[in-house]
Amino acid sequence: MKFCSNCGGLVEWRIPEGDALPRYICPSCHTIHYQNPKIVVGCIPEWEDRILLCRRAIEPRHGLWTVPSGFMENAETLVQGAARETLEEANARVEMGNLYAIYNIPHINQVHVLFRARLLDLDFSPGSESLDVRLFAETEIPWTELAFRVIHEPLRRYFEERQCGRLGFHMGTIEEIRG
Ligand SMILES: [Zn+2]
């Protein structure tokens, strides 16, 4: 951030009085611009023993596969956000089920929330952000072509747990890989 979104003045990066962390502060209008993590919400749409994945038509990870998910919008609930993303990316209608996973990704300031969901019908097709939308059985999942680590981990666990017939909620943290 360079300019104040309130008055257009140059902002400074410093710790406000009584605070513990540096923030963008506008010396002209005295606005403190707090920045907080973003929520990414999505779901695993299920149809019998298969799940629906979308092949991304946008960067990052163009051409790779992921579950329907995206940034939560203001004024919506988590369930509404997950359903909206599924409709936008896959033109698919779902009934949202249980909360399945929450992943913290501190190094990119995101929290990912993933539900299980039941596809209501097979009338789905790629939305504008998808190249393709398909149902995959466990043996067909393109593991090496998944777009994000935060999708890989819950999907692995999902199929393991489904074999045992016991799907439970998990919370995890995706750490930065340092090379
Ligand atoms: Zn200002």
Side-chain angles (χ1 to χ4, degrees):
M1 182 172 214
K2 226 172 163 177
F3 300 103
C4 176
S5 55
N6 188 43
C7 75
L10 270 176
V11 294
E12 293 171 356
W13 176 249
R14 61 180 171 82
I15 300 174
E17 212 178 296
D19 205 339
L21 295 170
R23 318 277 181 191
Y24 288 107
I25 301 174
C26 178
S28 309
C29 74
H30 308 291
T31 302
I32 302 172
H33 298 278
Y34 294 97
Q35 294 181 315
N36 301 96
K38 285 198 169 11
I39 296 171
V40 175
V41 63
C43 67
I44 305 174
E46 304 164 325
W47 182 269
E48 294 165 356
D49 66 337
R50 294 182 292 168
I51 65 165
L52 181 137
L53 297 178
C54 307
R55 193 165 167 240
R56 291 170 64 83
I58 52 169
E59 294 295 343
R61 315 294 166 86
H62 181 279
L64 299 184
W65 294 88
T66 187
V67 295
S69 70
F71 289 109
M72 193 178 176
E73 299 285 2
N74 290 341
E76 72 181 2
T77 65
L78 287 168
V79 165
Q80 287 167 346
R84 176 185 52 73
E85 289 292 343
T86 307
L87 192 60
E88 284 176 10
E89 295 180 2
N91 292 308
R93 283 143 299 276
V94 291
E95 179 187 62
M96 215 53 71
N98 289 338
L99 182 58
Y100 186 60
I102 293 180
Y103 281 90
N104 303 286
I105 317 183
H107 64 280
I108 54 169
N109 308 317
Q110 291 181 0
V111 176
H112 285 237
V113 177
L114 196 58
F115 290 88
R116 291 177 62 196
R118 190 173 67 84
L119 261 183
L120 293 180
D121 54 62
L122 292 177
D123 179 21
F124 55 77
S125 60
S128 61
E129 296 182 358
S130 306
L131 296 169
D132 195 3
V133 178
R134 264 194 253 172
L135 287 172
F136 292 89
E138 180 178 4
T139 52
E140 302 162 342
I141 299 282
W143 292 108
T144 58
E145 291 168 48
L146 292 181
F148 305 104
R149 259 200 302 159
V150 70
I151 299 306
H152 204 275
E153 215 170 296
L155 285 190
R156 279 263 181 234
R157 207 188 58 234
Y158 172 84
F159 286 110
E160 277 170 26
E161 289 187 343
R162 215 173 57 176
Q163 283 190 345
C164 318
R166 201 181 47 190
L167 286 136
F169 168 78
H170 292 260
M171 184 159 66
T173 298
I174 305 286
E175 306 284 355
E176 186 171 15
I177 297 174
R178 292 173 189 276

XYZ file of all heavy atoms in Angstrom, residues 4 6-9 26 28-31 33, ligand 1:
74
model
N -3.178 6.442 0.708
C -4.342 6.277 1.582
C -5.610 6.131 0.734
O -5.877 6.961 -0.140
C -4.460 7.490 2.495
S -5.924 7.457 3.522
N -8.476 6.543 1.777
C -9.461 7.495 2.286
C -9.255 8.902 1.706
O -10.201 9.525 1.233
C -9.378 7.530 3.816
C -10.478 8.348 4.440
O -11.624 8.250 4.020
N -10.138 9.152 5.435
N -7.960 9.375 1.700
C -7.723 10.759 1.256
C -6.708 10.865 0.120
O -6.514 11.945 -0.437
C -7.276 11.617 2.443
S -5.568 11.314 2.935
N -6.062 9.750 -0.234
C -5.115 9.781 -1.344
C -3.710 10.206 -0.963
O -2.817 10.244 -1.815
N -3.491 10.527 0.318
C -2.155 10.929 0.777
C -1.198 9.744 0.848
O -1.622 8.596 0.793
N -2.011 6.808 7.688
C -2.045 8.024 6.886
C -1.812 9.232 7.791
O -2.613 9.507 8.680
C -3.395 8.151 6.192
S -3.500 9.678 5.245
N -2.021 12.280 7.001
C -2.925 13.392 6.674
C -4.272 13.243 7.364
O -4.722 14.151 8.060
C -3.148 13.471 5.160
O -1.922 13.459 4.496
N -4.928 12.088 7.172
C -6.283 11.941 7.746
C -6.290 11.024 8.964
O -7.343 10.751 9.533
C -7.273 11.465 6.684
S -7.088 9.732 6.238
N -5.109 10.495 9.338
C -4.929 9.669 10.541
C -5.644 8.314 10.481
O -5.877 7.695 11.512
C -5.348 10.445 11.809
C -4.681 11.778 11.920
N -3.327 11.913 12.162
C -5.159 13.038 11.754
C -3.011 13.198 12.166
N -4.103 13.909 11.917
N -6.006 7.888 9.287
C -6.605 6.551 9.162
C -5.520 5.490 9.338
O -4.425 5.627 8.788
C -7.264 6.379 7.777
O -8.254 7.397 7.619
C -7.924 5.019 7.630
N -4.764 1.760 8.347
C -5.276 0.754 7.404
C -4.876 -0.638 7.879
O -3.781 -1.108 7.595
C -4.735 1.032 6.001
C -5.177 2.356 5.451
N -6.409 2.537 4.852
C -4.583 3.577 5.452
C -6.542 3.795 4.486
N -5.453 4.456 4.841
Zn -5.599 9.562 4.501
